[in-house]
Amino acid sequence: MKPPFALIQLHPSDDVVETLEYLLQEARDGHVIGIAYGAILKRRAYFVDAAGEAHRNPMFGVGIANVLACELMDGWLVRVDPLLERI
């Protein structure tokens, strides 16, 4: 039987810190010119925002956010039904 809930880790996630450091370096090097993002905080709070080109060109920001949503849904669907991975 699956437990009703999972505990959320309270220490910083290594992959989150590594990803943010990578994005920061890419932005400093001039490779990242815009970002649309969402962050999950403790107690399931969250925030979303956009900066740079994603803020100046909202349709591009919306497009990037939709690509992210599709990729997250694809990962979720495969976890729900592993047969979908072959599609």
Side-chain angles (χ1 to χ4, degrees), residues 2 5 7 14-15 19 22 44 50 65 73 76 83 85:
K2 189 175 179 180
F5 59 88
L7 296 176
D14 291 339
D15 64 329
T19 299
Y22 169 77
R44 297 291 189 201
M73 286 302 296
W76 176 78
L83 294 176
E85 190 167 29

Side-chain angles (χ1 to χ4, degrees), residues 25-57:
Q25 188 58 53
E26 290 294 301
R28 286 186 170 148
D29 291 345
H31 301 295
V32 173
I33 61 169
I35 187 169
Y37 60 92
I40 303 168
L41 308 173
K42 293 178 184 177
R43 303 197 186 278
R44 297 291 189 201
Y46 68 93
F47 62 88
V48 295
D49 207 346
E53 190 61 25
H55 179 73
R56 286 187 295 278
N57 185 345

